[in-house]
Amino acid sequence: MGVVRYLSDKLVNLVANMGTERDKAAGSHYAPVFLSDQELTNAYRGAWLPRKIVDIPALDATRRWRGWQADKGQIERIEAEEKALDLRRKVKQAMTRARLFGGAAIFIGTGDRDTSLPLSPERIVQGGIKYLTVMNRRQLSPTELEQDPQSERYGMPKAYRLAGSAIEIHPSRLVIFTGAEHPDPELATGQEFGWGDSVLQALLEAIKQSDGTMANVASLVFEAKVDVIKIPDFMQQLQDPAFEKRVMERIRLAAMAKGINGTLMLDADEEYDSKQASFGSLPDIIDRFLQQVSGAADIPATRLLGQSPAGLNSTGEADLRNYYDRVQAMQELDIGPALGLLDECLIRSALGSRPAEIHYIWNTLWQPTAAEQSEIGKRAAETVKILGETKLWHTDALSKAATTMLVEQSALPGLEAAVEEFGESLPDEELEDRQ
């Protein structure tokens, strides 16, 4: 009875692999894929998909850069300091290398001899930042991880050691970027210790499948049309070397005659046939593999592949907006905090002090069309007019707010300079004429 009860409780079907260990998925598991720096370099240099996946987010995160909010003179000096230090390009370069190798950093050069001590922004004077140097992951070896939970660097390296030397660099002197964040820093070993993973590590299989499909399709092009000529007793007569020579000459003459006048002359016992490959479904197959790569990389196909959106009413706008939102999140959650201490030093290096009101905003990647820009300007003007008619605010206050709004929206190029030149209020003569 016990055996019968067991068989009735567990259904076993050897044909469908139900209740057995023959299920192919039973042996499947996820295994780590470790790519060496040389393999990552080869993929980046030798294939266009890995290169674009690495480059595009780093480029988009820095191509519109940021806008400083301060007096015009202060903005000019800060932007001049950024340009002198080549900050924008070096941030892009560090982000690109971090995405490719799993980590990179920008060293803040202040001329201090002992780089093992923390960098204090309050000690930076005007011109205090001498240079910025981009360093790869292999050039910086993290020391042990901080284990004090009360430390702001808990779970992160206490310091970094310059490869091939005994020079230690305090983390505050580095703007650190990581690629794909490691889920548990304590489990990271080898070259991943203290850094992240390459963004290509999780995408490599999808990229290889797409590249392999493209390679097979490219090979199929050369086999698109194959001529087949059947010769009686062909295999048997091949044992005669002279026959092989005559056959090759026969095929050459047949191809020549067919190429000249389109007529193929054959013996009565010979047969001719032509096999043609069908390419009808191949574009869809290629697109599916590329869409898989696009989804894995979290980059829309319109941006990754440079192709037009598909579908009757498809514009790709929603995909790009979602992608731009992701880039903005990366700017605010990753790049901004990484640049935090450098920005404090940058402002002091440019101005000689740190005015509390100075801050910046990331310039939006989404650019409205000319029609949309015109509509935005029209609505802004109508809003200012309605608010002015309510007389709830002083004219000068409303004028200043309206000027700021129009400048930020770029509705009237040159408005800010014109206001500084002619003032925010109308000349007395014009006021008297209007009254």
Side-chain angles (χ1 to χ4, degrees):
M1 291 295 293
V3 175
V4 174
R5 186 179 299 109
Y6 172 78
L7 292 175
S8 63
D9 289 345
K10 183 178 181 182
L11 176 63
V12 177
N13 190 320
L14 296 177
V15 177
N17 294 333
M18 293 175 59
T20 71
E21 295 182 356
R22 293 180 57 203
D23 186 2
K24 296 179 178 61
S28 300
H29 66 279
Y30 290 100
V33 179
F34 298 108
L35 301 174
S36 66
D37 287 352
Q38 187 60 54
E39 290 174 313
L40 293 170
T41 301
N42 293 341
Y44 182 78
R45 296 180 62 189
W48 66 274
L49 268 178
R51 191 180 190 97
K52 295 193 74 171
I53 290 172
V54 169
D55 287 350
I56 286 177
L59 173 63
D60 288 341
T62 55
R63 64 184 172 92
R64 292 282 297 167
W65 200 228
R66 54 188 182 177
W68 288 96
Q69 308 297 301
D71 293 339
K72 184 177 180 181
Q74 293 174 329
I75 293 176
E76 290 177 349
R77 291 162 66 184
I78 293 175
E79 290 179 345
E81 185 74 4
E82 284 187 338
K83 186 174 182 180
L85 294 171
D86 200 12
L87 174 62
R88 186 175 173 185
R89 185 183 68 85
K90 290 182 177 179
V91 168
K92 173 185 172 295
Q93 188 179 59
M95 287 186 62
T96 300
R97 296 182 181 182
R99 289 179 58 81
L100 177 59
F101 297 114
I106 300 177
F107 176 72
I108 306 173
T110 58
D112 296 339
R113 293 185 177 180
D114 191 353
T115 58
S116 64
L117 298 177
L119 175 61
S120 176
E122 291 75 13
R123 296 177 54 197
I124 300 297
V125 298
Q126 191 166 7
I129 301 180
K130 309 299 182 184
Y131 56 88
L132 300 174
T133 304
V134 178
M135 294 183 172
N136 295 339
R137 176 191 60 187
R138 60 182 177 80
Q139 295 171 319
L140 294 171
S141 300
T143 61
E144 66 274 13
L145 300 181
E146 178 62 68
Q147 299 296 334
D148 183 4
Q150 296 183 351
S151 172
E152 62 179 7
R153 292 197 58 80
Y154 175 73
M156 295 184 286
K158 291 183 178 180
Y160 294 83
R161 186 171 291 109
L162 192 63
S165 70
I167 300 176
E168 280 198 0
I169 303 176
H170 193 271
S172 62
R173 298 180 180 274
L174 297 170
V175 180
I176 300 172
F177 296 95
T178 57
E181 186 176 355
H182 201 286
D184 191 343
E186 293 185 354
L187 296 180
T189 58
Q191 62 184 13
E192 290 84 18
F193 177 75
W195 299 101
D197 296 325
S198 169
V199 296
L200 297 180
Q201 186 162 305
L203 309 178
L204 192 63
E205 190 63 30
I207 294 173
K208 285 183 176 180
Q209 290 174 356
S210 178
D211 284 347
T213 302
M214 294 289 289
N216 286 329
V217 171
S219 298
L220 186 60
V221 171
F222 297 98
E223 302 292 331
K225 182 177 180 297
V226 178
D227 293 331
V228 179
I229 300 178
K230 297 180 181 180
I231 302 175
D233 301 327
F234 180 71
M235 297 302 297
Q236 182 179 358
Q237 296 187 65
L238 272 180
Q239 298 177 4
D240 182 7
F243 175 78
E244 181 181 355
K245 183 177 180 180
R246 291 196 303 270
V247 166
M248 297 303 298
E249 182 65 19
R250 171 72 180 89
I251 294 176
R252 185 186 68 82
L253 291 174
M256 182 183 299
K258 186 173 183 294
I260 294 174
N261 52 31
T263 302
L264 180 61
M265 293 180 293
L266 296 175
D267 189 89
D269 293 332
E270 294 177 333
E271 295 182 19
Y272 170 79
D273 191 12
S274 180
K275 305 292 185 180
Q276 294 186 350
S278 175
F279 293 89
S281 61
L282 291 182
D284 292 336
I285 296 175
I286 294 173
D287 288 344
R288 292 298 183 272
F289 278 100
L290 289 175
Q291 286 175 10
Q292 175 182 322
V293 175
S294 175
D298 206 3
I299 303 174
T302 52
R303 182 70 181 92
L304 178 63
L305 308 177
Q307 69 180 26
S308 300
L312 292 177
N313 299 318
S314 178
T315 62
E317 180 175 323
D319 292 342
L320 280 178
R321 284 189 180 275
N322 291 336
Y323 169 67
Y324 287 159
D325 288 343
R326 175 182 176 274
V327 172
Q328 183 179 359
M330 181 169 56
Q331 291 171 332
E332 296 174 353
L333 299 178
D334 298 331
I335 305 176
L339 292 174
L341 192 140
L342 172 58
D343 286 337
E344 294 296 317
C345 297
L346 178 72
I347 295 173
R348 291 175 170 85
S349 182
L351 306 179
S353 61
R354 176 50 170 108
E357 68 277 6
I358 294 181
H359 64 284
Y360 68 85
I361 58 173
W362 291 100
N363 294 322
T364 178
L365 287 173
W366 184 261
Q367 297 300 305
T369 63
E372 292 173 339
Q373 188 68 32
S374 176
E375 183 65 23
I376 292 173
K378 180 181 177 181
R379 291 182 180 180
E382 292 174 348
T383 301
V384 173
K385 180 182 178 183
I386 294 172
L387 293 177
E389 291 173 350
T390 62
K391 300 186 182 300
L392 295 176
W393 293 273
H394 191 275
T395 305
D396 291 341
L398 184 60
S399 174
K400 187 172 183 179
T403 301
T404 302
M405 177 179 66
L406 293 173
V407 168
E408 290 182 352
Q409 294 179 351
S410 299
L412 291 175
L415 176 62
E416 188 174 17
V419 168
E420 290 185 359
E421 181 178 354
F422 298 104
E424 296 182 359
S425 302
L426 294 171
D428 295 338
E429 294 80 1
E430 293 189 18
L431 287 174
E432 292 175 359
D433 292 341
R434 293 196 175 190
Q435 292 175 353

